[in-house]
Amino acid sequence: MHISARVDFAVRTLLELAAADGVVKAEAIAAAAQIPPKVLESVLAELRRAELVLSRRGPDGGYRLGRPATEISVADVIRAVESPLASVRGQRPEDVRYPGAAEPLQRVWIALRVNIRAVLENVSIADIAADQLPGFVGELIADPGAWARREPRASATP
């Protein structure tokens, strides 16, 4: 999975808003997060469309989170500015059938998608802002094989 600059900028934008006590001007976000103002404008528009941020016009205007930071996952951010979290040839892995020796590959793609989603959907903007990541993140860093030994959680969204 490739994490684009746009996704990185979007997460950093939401972290700045989560750390603030109210409305924040775009210029302040750009400076604090070191995001080019034109790029930030575009990212904020996408986050607004996804209702992850709200904006207010006028001299006291700016941006704030559209819902509590605890309710915004990294997966939500990726979906807002990019696309689905993981796809195989533009299709759901369970819809792809491989012939012959490649038949087990379908299960690999499904496992990959499930595990990417499990991580990204279970880390919130609040977790990152408070530097209190879920325990499994530390486990993954300390022992990358630990994740492979866990039972993946089912998710209702693609």
Side-chain angles (χ1 to χ4, degrees), residues 85-157:
L85 297 178
S87 62
V88 177
R89 296 176 30 206
Q91 302 173 13
R92 296 179 340 158
E94 52 273 7
D95 294 338
V96 177
R97 298 284 182 239
Y98 292 96
E103 186 177 341
L105 183 57
Q106 174 191 23
R107 292 191 308 273
V108 173
W109 297 145
I110 291 170
L112 176 68
R113 187 181 74 174
V114 166
N115 283 291
I116 286 172
R117 286 173 41 193
V119 171
L120 297 176
E121 290 178 353
N122 288 293
V123 176
S124 73
I125 294 299
D127 295 334
I128 300 167
D131 195 11
Q132 295 183 345
L133 300 174
F136 71 85
V137 173
E139 292 171 21
L140 284 171
I141 294 167
D143 179 8
W147 189 252
R149 295 186 293 272
R150 288 177 51 128
E151 282 295 317
R153 292 186 222 175
S155 178
T157 58

Side-chain angles (χ1 to χ4, degrees), residues 32-133:
Q34 298 181 345
I35 300 171
K38 284 289 189 190
V39 174
L40 177 62
E41 185 180 309
S42 172
V43 167
L44 282 166
E46 292 170 330
L47 293 172
R48 235 184 4 254
R49 276 190 291 281
E51 300 179 351
L52 297 179
V53 301
L54 300 174
S55 63
R56 184 170 65 192
R57 294 179 185 252
D60 294 328
Y63 297 87
R64 65 181 174 89
L65 293 178
R67 58 184 190 241
T70 56
E71 297 176 17
I72 302 173
S73 70
V74 176
D76 294 330
V77 182
I78 293 171
R79 288 183 187 113
V81 299
E82 295 253 317
S83 61
L85 297 178
S87 62
V88 177
R89 296 176 30 206
Q91 302 173 13
R92 296 179 340 158
E94 52 273 7
D95 294 338
V96 177
R97 298 284 182 239
Y98 292 96
E103 186 177 341
L105 183 57
Q106 174 191 23
R107 292 191 308 273
V108 173
W109 297 145
I110 291 170
L112 176 68
R113 187 181 74 174
V114 166
N115 283 291
I116 286 172
R117 286 173 41 193
V119 171
L120 297 176
E121 290 178 353
N122 288 293
V123 176
S124 73
I125 294 299
D127 295 334
I128 300 167
D131 195 11
Q132 295 183 345
L133 300 174

